[in-house]
Amino acid sequence: MRFDLMTLFPSMCTAFTEESIIGRAQKNGHIEVNLWDIRDFTEDKHRRVDDYPYGGGMGMVMQVQPVFSCVKAVEENLGVKPYVIYLSPKGNKFTQTMAEKLSKHSEIALLCGHYEGIDQRAIDMCVDEEISIGDFVLTGGELPALCLIDCVARLIPGVLSDEECYKDESIYSGLLEYPQYTRPASFMEHDVPSVLLSGHEKNINTYRRKESLRLTMERRPDLMDRLCPDKEDLKLISEIKIEKECGD
């Protein structure tokens, strides 16, 4: 899978794309990440890429020409039209389900805005989808773009050593992940739950499922609304509710 990230600040993204899982995935040929400097495509001799907004208002707006030209350069380099995503607070909120759908594309181009955003004509002419990573304000689209690359890349075969690496994780499974522990078994009188030291696989799996349900019920009840619990889940949910009532 190929990602093309279009930004005014490619150096902000270099370290992330060359390190850890994303860096290894590129070295092993599972994904490709290319950084494009939008300033390289401006026709302004001073490399200007922004201007004051028509109608007045605070801040500057990225101009249509350099953005359009950059997108077209990516398209020409690929030889096909990529799926173009603009990282925007006005976009659809990014979810794991959305990541799974995006992982089916072979080429994704990510457009990072800055200042007060991008001239709407560039969005209308080039963008297939606008995506937001949450209801908060950031300086630009670089961090959201990198979040999206990280999330989607993990779903590409070969990027992770085993699909179990992501299937049990929070959100992907539909629940928050259970607590994790490692050595030592005891630290300052805080002990690892004994069931995890028992070696009894069924009991360990039941404990982990119950803790996932408990955490999700406490912290993300909205996820529980989408869960289709089986008989065992219903039993565990009932136990959790009784324990909570007793604790209260």
Side-chain angles (χ1 to χ4, degrees), residues 109-126:
L110 301 163
L111 177 58
C112 302
H114 244 270
Y115 313 121
E116 293 303 309
I118 292 175
D119 188 305
Q120 184 64 39
R121 291 168 293 182
I123 299 170
D124 295 339
M125 297 168 72
C126 302

Side-chain angles (χ1 to χ4, degrees), residues 101-213:
K101 291 180 180 178
L102 292 175
S103 70
K104 308 304 179 186
H105 291 277
S106 56
E107 298 93 11
I108 292 178
L110 301 163
L111 177 58
C112 302
H114 244 270
Y115 313 121
E116 293 303 309
I118 292 175
D119 188 305
Q120 184 64 39
R121 291 168 293 182
I123 299 170
D124 295 339
M125 297 168 72
C126 302
V127 172
D128 295 301
E129 183 176 7
E130 294 184 54
I131 290 178
S132 167
I133 64 165
D135 297 332
F136 48 87
V137 179
L138 293 172
T139 302
E142 287 76 18
L143 290 175
L146 295 175
C147 286
L148 188 148
I149 290 173
D150 188 274
C151 184
V152 174
R154 293 169 65 85
L155 303 176
I156 305 303
V159 171
L160 300 181
S161 58
D162 191 319
E163 67 177 15
E164 292 301 322
C165 291
Y166 62 80
K167 281 197 170 181
D168 282 343
E169 290 179 337
S170 291
I171 306 301
Y172 187 96
S173 65
L175 298 173
L176 300 184
E177 189 179 17
Y178 48 80
Q180 297 276 19
Y181 300 88
T182 188
R183 297 177 183 179
S186 182
F187 180 73
M188 298 180 68
E189 299 184 0
H190 290 262
D191 299 332
V192 173
S194 58
V195 64
L196 298 177
L197 308 176
S198 69
H200 195 296
E201 185 176 0
K202 182 178 180 182
N203 289 349
I204 290 173
N205 290 338
T206 298
Y207 164 81
R208 286 175 166 171
R209 184 68 177 181
K210 185 174 181 178
E211 291 307 301
S212 285
L213 288 164

Side-chain angles (χ1 to χ4, degrees), residues 50-66:
D50 62 335
D51 210 331
Y52 295 103
Y54 280 125
M58 297 291 292
M60 307 290 278
V61 176
M62 288 175 63
Q63 296 171 303
V64 58
Q65 179 275 311

